[in-house]
Amino acid sequence: MATAQLSHSIKIHKASKETVFPSQITNEHESLIMVKKLFATSISCITYLRGLFPESSYGERHLDDLSLKILREDKKCPGSLHIIKWIQGCFDALEKKYLHMAVLTLYTNPKEPEKVTEIYQFKFKYTKEGATMDFDSSSASFESGTNSEDIKKASILLIRKLYILMQNLGPLPNDVILTMKLHYYNAVTPHDYQPPGFKEGVNSHLLLFEGEPVNLQVGLVSTGFHSMKVKVTTEVTRVSDLENNLFQENSTTEIAHQGLDFDEEEEECNNHIQRMNFAYSQQSSESSRKKRKVSEPVKAFIPDRK
């Protein structure tokens, strides 16, 4: 039986001193804090606006005129503790500079986790070349040393676009399951490394959608020491209005039909999200691709949204 899905909306709020991100970024430690907070804010945004947890599972922070909801440890909602543990595991891998990409996946059949509904990709790099911002392959590109104001603007743009996207996606299925796979930089990550809350995972290059998948490049923020790129993948029919209207005036959002965001020159592989009708033609070439070390949660999460 269909049930009503929890829904939340964005709020405009007066500026507050209680901000999300650090006021300046002058060294690697401040950069790490910034990237952690940006990642946690993004995950919180997704879970809040997709109605996965009740209001009590979130605290309020401010980012200019945005009132953001940030996940907090809510003992009345064990699920929030579940996701927070995943975030903390990612923090551990970020601190060690092992984490290459965190992929949050939503699916409906526990026996077929490769048949997905939504994919959220967070790709990380570690550099010391001076801060740059790339608003997703557009002409809006800036090089500004460690200009904290430009980094803040890029972060605000990323969060705003993520909020717009979350509020305009079609409703989730009632019986949705969440998992998160962590991909590492093999050259520096110990073979036996597993962050808290994760176990060794299977590196599969095959993810399937019922319909035609579309990727939305949400944003990329670089501090000069770290960078985080965000991409969302779902079925094209669920974002048709978004594609035609919401981002039309903002050319910085690139919409492309492609797969997981691995750079081919880095990964020596080419991952694809295929329609089910064409998936099996890819299996023969999958075994020849280089496999990256992967972790997955000790247990997948099933939110109680009924």
Side-chain angles (χ1 to χ4, degrees):
M1 180 180 295
T3 56
Q5 178 178 329
L6 287 170
S7 63
H8 303 289
S9 61
I10 193 172
K11 295 180 180 179
I12 303 299
H13 209 280
K14 292 183 179 180
S16 169
K17 294 181 180 180
E18 190 179 14
T19 56
V20 177
F21 303 125
S23 58
Q24 63 179 6
I25 299 172
T26 59
N27 55 53
E28 189 171 358
H29 176 68
E30 291 171 348
S31 173
L32 179 62
I33 293 173
M34 167 71 187
V35 172
K36 284 182 176 181
K37 289 189 172 184
L38 184 59
F39 176 67
T41 300
S42 299
I43 296 292
S44 297
C45 166
I46 292 165
T47 61
Y48 182 76
L49 291 174
R50 300 309 275 144
L52 299 179
F53 302 115
E55 190 82 22
S56 61
S57 296
Y58 298 86
E60 188 171 283
R61 295 291 184 274
H62 301 109
L63 183 59
D64 277 9
D65 60 346
L66 293 181
S67 178
L68 303 178
K69 298 295 185 177
I70 307 298
L71 269 172
R72 63 184 179 185
E73 295 183 349
D74 180 8
K75 294 182 179 179
K76 296 181 181 179
C77 180
S80 66
L81 304 178
H82 205 120
I83 303 302
I84 287 173
K85 192 170 185 178
W86 293 0
I87 293 173
Q88 291 171 340
C90 292
F91 285 177
D92 186 84
L94 279 169
E95 291 169 1
K96 295 177 170 64
K97 299 183 181 181
Y98 295 162
L99 185 61
H100 177 259
M101 187 162 65
V103 183
L104 181 68
T105 304
L106 282 68
Y107 59 101
T108 58
N109 188 343
K111 296 182 179 179
E112 296 180 309
E114 73 280 2
K115 296 181 180 180
V116 296
T117 300
E118 293 175 6
I119 303 173
Y120 300 88
Q121 300 177 49
F122 301 86
K123 183 179 180 182
F124 302 94
K125 290 185 178 181
Y126 312 88
T127 66
K128 292 185 179 180
E129 299 177 354
T132 62
M133 290 186 295
D134 177 5
F135 295 150
D136 303 306
S137 303
S138 75
S139 60
S141 179
F142 304 91
E143 293 188 4
S144 53
T146 53
N147 189 320
S148 299
E149 188 62 30
D150 283 343
I151 295 169
K152 179 182 177 181
K153 288 179 181 178
S155 303
I156 291 173
L157 179 61
L158 186 153
I159 296 298
R160 283 184 181 276
K161 288 160 70 175
L162 194 56
Y163 260 71
I164 291 172
L165 175 58
M166 293 300 98
Q167 289 183 303
N168 287 275
L169 283 177
L172 288 172
N174 290 323
D175 300 320
V176 70
I177 304 170
L178 279 74
T179 191
M180 178 182 282
K181 284 198 174 184
L182 307 185
H183 300 254
Y184 302 97
Y185 287 101
N186 285 353
V188 296
T189 307
H191 179 71
D192 60 351
Y193 171 76
Q194 297 297 337
F198 288 83
K199 63 181 181 179
E200 184 177 356
V202 177
N203 192 341
S204 173
H205 297 289
L206 197 62
L207 294 173
L208 310 174
F209 279 94
E210 288 281 359
E212 178 71 19
V214 61
N215 288 332
L216 291 95
Q217 309 282 1
V218 178
L220 185 151
V221 176
S222 176
T223 68
F225 299 95
H226 304 82
S227 70
M228 188 183 90
K229 181 178 181 181
V230 182
K231 183 166 72 174
V232 178
T233 308
T234 187
E235 292 182 19
V236 67
T237 55
R238 301 178 66 211
V239 292
S240 56
D241 292 339
L242 180 75
E243 191 171 346
N244 295 330
N245 300 318
L246 289 180
F247 285 147
Q248 189 173 24
E249 63 185 34
N250 189 345
S251 62
T252 62
T253 297
E254 173 188 346
I255 299 178
H257 296 259
Q258 57 190 49
L260 288 179
D261 191 20
F262 285 101
D263 294 328
E264 188 170 359
E265 65 274 16
E266 289 181 0
E267 310 306 323
E268 300 179 16
C269 68
N270 183 21
N271 299 310
H272 292 279
I273 302 171
Q274 297 288 340
R275 295 183 67 173
M276 290 185 185
N277 292 344
F278 304 105
Y280 295 103
S281 65
Q282 301 295 318
Q283 291 181 347
S284 60
S285 61
E286 181 177 344
S287 59
S288 63
R289 297 172 184 158
K290 183 178 179 180
K291 299 272 183 158
R292 180 172 291 278
K293 174 178 168 58
V294 169
S295 294
E296 62 186 26
V298 174
K299 185 179 180 182
F301 171 63
I302 303 176
D304 181 9
R305 303 186 301 120
K306 296 183 178 180

